[in-house]
Amino acid sequence: MTDPSTPAASAAPSAPPAAPRPSLQDRLVAAGFGAGWALVPHLPERLTGRAFDIAADRLWKRRGPSVRRLEANLARVRGTSPDDPAVRALSRAGMRSYFRYFHEVFRLPSVPKAEILARTRVEGAERIFENLDKGRGVVLALPHMGNWDQAGAWLIGSGHPFTTVAERLRPESLFRRYTAFREGLGMEVLPLTGGDGQNFGTLAQRLRAGRAVALPAERDLTAKGIEVSFFGSATRMPAGPGLLAVHTGAALLPAIPYFHGRDWGLEIHEEIEIPDEGTRQERTAAAMQRLAAVFERGISAHPQDWHMLQRLWLDDLEPRA
């Protein structure tokens, strides 16, 4: 199963690429998601949840490339070897958490707002609301953990719609379905590529208007991000969250979503301090390094809910030709 949920902010215009003919695998994935949204909400939750657990366990037992990558990433978090039995056990919980995310995505449009609000346990919500109530924009930066779409539904249900930027998926039909899903929850979704190339300006406008922007931020999709130290090794994080805070004066708030039993947890951490001195690039880099440190604590507390099945650290990336 692919990961169709990696929003990021892009400051530079991007011309729409020529759309390749969808592969058979792309068409099957799109059909699977379409069937999920059409069928899962109408079946018993207990039954479908068990089916997703079984699918996760089967994929985990096969220990294919995605599972091995998850284990390598979790080993970095734990400071141990990927062959550590504890990492292997953690990766099973991680795959179940990952598949739970998709199961919930299919059901989320049919979950009543009152239930979402009642089942979400939030620490630090006042850090969002106090800023927005004063007319100050908020940049919520989060790692790919738990159910970030559900966290967005909680924020919308609390009376604060927000804007995000979404990776353009293949095939285009899947991207449109995923965009419609998020827009149906109340999000404003900007495409990372293939749009009008004005994402940064649009996000800055929303923030200056005292609104919220939410951006998953620990994985850079552009190869032009800010280099930071993350669990002791170098990686790149997208500059967008820090740059928007520097550019607009919005509050940069780390958000850590995770699963809390059958319910959901969300930790809103203290505002990231932006240095007063230095160039815009230096101030942005300092903000992103401080954000990375908060992400380290959140991922360490809930490693099974960190859905990172891709290469992340620079020394893991395949060299470019």
Side-chain angles (χ1 to χ4, degrees), residues 8-321:
S10 174
S14 176
R21 183 180 178 83
S23 67
L24 176 60
Q25 181 179 358
D26 288 341
R27 294 197 299 271
L28 289 174
V29 168
F33 273 84
W37 273 304
L39 297 176
V40 169
H42 303 291
L43 298 172
E45 182 176 1
R46 194 169 181 140
L47 177 65
T48 54
R50 179 59 182 153
F52 274 71
D53 280 347
I54 291 172
D57 286 348
R58 286 180 176 173
L59 191 60
W60 174 78
K61 288 178 182 177
R62 286 166 50 189
R63 206 163 182 257
S66 294
V67 174
R68 293 198 303 273
R69 175 50 48 195
L70 175 63
E71 290 174 352
N73 292 340
L74 290 172
R76 293 221 189 217
V77 171
R78 297 290 296 267
T80 186
S81 165
D83 297 325
D84 185 339
V87 170
R88 180 65 175 149
L90 186 58
S91 73
R92 183 187 186 190
M95 291 304 295
R96 284 194 168 199
S97 174
Y98 185 51
F99 272 63
R100 172 177 170 175
Y101 162 75
F102 289 108
H103 180 238
E104 291 185 349
V105 160
F106 296 141
R107 301 191 69 90
L108 197 53
S110 63
V111 179
K113 180 178 72 173
E115 181 178 345
I116 292 174
L117 294 174
R119 293 177 55 198
T120 306
R121 306 186 181 201
V122 187
E123 299 177 35
E126 70 280 358
R127 294 176 175 131
I128 302 175
F129 301 148
E130 288 174 1
N131 278 291
L132 294 177
D133 288 345
K134 291 187 297 186
R136 185 186 183 202
V138 169
V139 180
L140 289 164
L142 57 156
H144 289 81
M145 292 182 64
N147 189 336
W148 47 91
D149 287 305
Q150 179 279 329
W154 165 81
L155 183 58
I156 293 163
S158 300
H160 297 287
F162 62 91
T163 304
T164 190
V165 180
E167 179 184 2
R168 197 162 208 112
L169 307 172
R170 293 185 307 169
E172 181 70 13
S173 61
L174 178 57
F175 174 73
R176 290 196 301 266
R177 281 183 181 273
Y178 230 97
T179 299
F181 155 67
R182 287 179 168 147
E183 289 177 343
L185 296 177
M187 306 179 197
E188 179 186 21
V189 182
L190 308 177
L192 177 62
T193 58
D196 61 10
Q198 302 300 317
N199 286 346
F200 188 85
T202 300
L203 295 172
Q205 288 176 2
R206 301 295 183 266
L207 292 168
R208 289 195 178 102
R211 295 184 57 183
V213 164
L215 300 168
E218 90 282 32
R219 180 172 171 245
D220 176 47
L221 294 174
T222 67
K224 299 177 183 178
I226 300 290
E227 186 169 322
V228 298
S229 175
F230 194 51
F231 289 102
S233 297
T235 188
R236 280 189 294 264
M237 293 173 62
L243 187 59
L244 284 165
V246 169
H247 190 69
T248 67
L252 177 55
L253 301 179
I256 307 295
Y258 61 95
F259 292 124
H260 190 283
R262 288 190 62 254
D263 298 330
W264 305 284
L266 180 63
E267 297 175 4
I268 310 300
H269 287 256
E270 292 183 359
E271 179 179 345
I272 296 294
E273 183 179 351
I274 307 294
D276 294 326
E277 299 182 355
T279 66
R280 180 174 294 184
Q281 183 176 4
E282 290 169 342
R283 296 169 70 205
T284 300
M288 295 308 296
Q289 183 60 68
R290 292 169 182 173
L291 182 63
V294 179
F295 282 2
E296 286 177 344
R297 297 199 298 272
I299 293 168
S300 295
H302 309 281
Q304 72 282 356
D305 290 331
W306 188 40
H307 305 155
M308 187 52 60
L309 282 70
Q310 299 84 15
R311 297 176 187 269
L312 184 68
W313 282 273
L314 299 186
D315 55 10
D316 286 337
L317 297 178
E318 297 176 350
R320 294 180 178 270

